[in-house]
Amino acid sequence: MASINIEETKNQARALLNSRIKSVEELVQARQRVTDLKDQLAAAERDDKRAYVKATRDGWSPDELKKLGLEPAAAGRRRKAQAKPTGSPTDTAADTSSAAEEAA
């Protein structure tokens, strides 16, 4: 039977782990980059909204800005509430129970 060298075995195991650790490091770096870019985007959107509001306070109308291609940012627009479909009370009760079941 061949003799097993513990140091050589440990070195081989470390080499395998190092390659696996490297892939996790790359994943963490990519995720951090996504987080950083999301933070930068949020800051840029806040700056855009402030600049748009300043432009309107300085006398520019929303229509004038729109003609210049400077519509309000999509993130700053408020959405109108959609009307709920009208149905019989039993339909509404069934919808409510389905929603409660999905939430559970």
Side-chain angles (χ1 to χ4, degrees), residues 27-96:
L27 176 59
V28 169
Q29 289 170 350
R31 294 278 171 96
Q32 186 59 53
R33 183 168 182 255
V34 168
T35 299
D36 293 344
L37 290 173
K38 284 180 180 179
D39 292 344
Q40 289 177 18
L41 176 60
E45 288 174 340
R46 283 190 302 273
D47 292 346
D48 176 73
K49 186 173 182 177
R50 286 184 190 120
Y52 186 87
V53 169
K54 184 178 183 323
T56 59
R57 286 184 182 159
D58 286 345
W60 291 96
S61 72
D63 286 338
E64 291 171 324
L65 292 171
K66 185 176 181 179
K67 287 177 185 175
L68 294 171
L70 300 169
E71 296 184 40
R77 293 185 190 146
R78 292 190 178 159
R79 294 185 180 141
K80 294 181 181 177
Q82 294 181 349
K84 293 183 181 178
T86 56
S88 66
T90 56
D91 290 343
T92 306
D95 291 344
T96 305

Side-chain angles (χ1 to χ4, degrees), residues 2-18:
S3 132
I4 298 175
N5 182 334
I6 192 160
E7 288 304 315
E8 184 177 325
T9 304
K10 285 177 12 181
N11 289 337
Q12 290 172 343
R14 280 190 186 101
L16 289 172
L17 286 175
N18 286 340

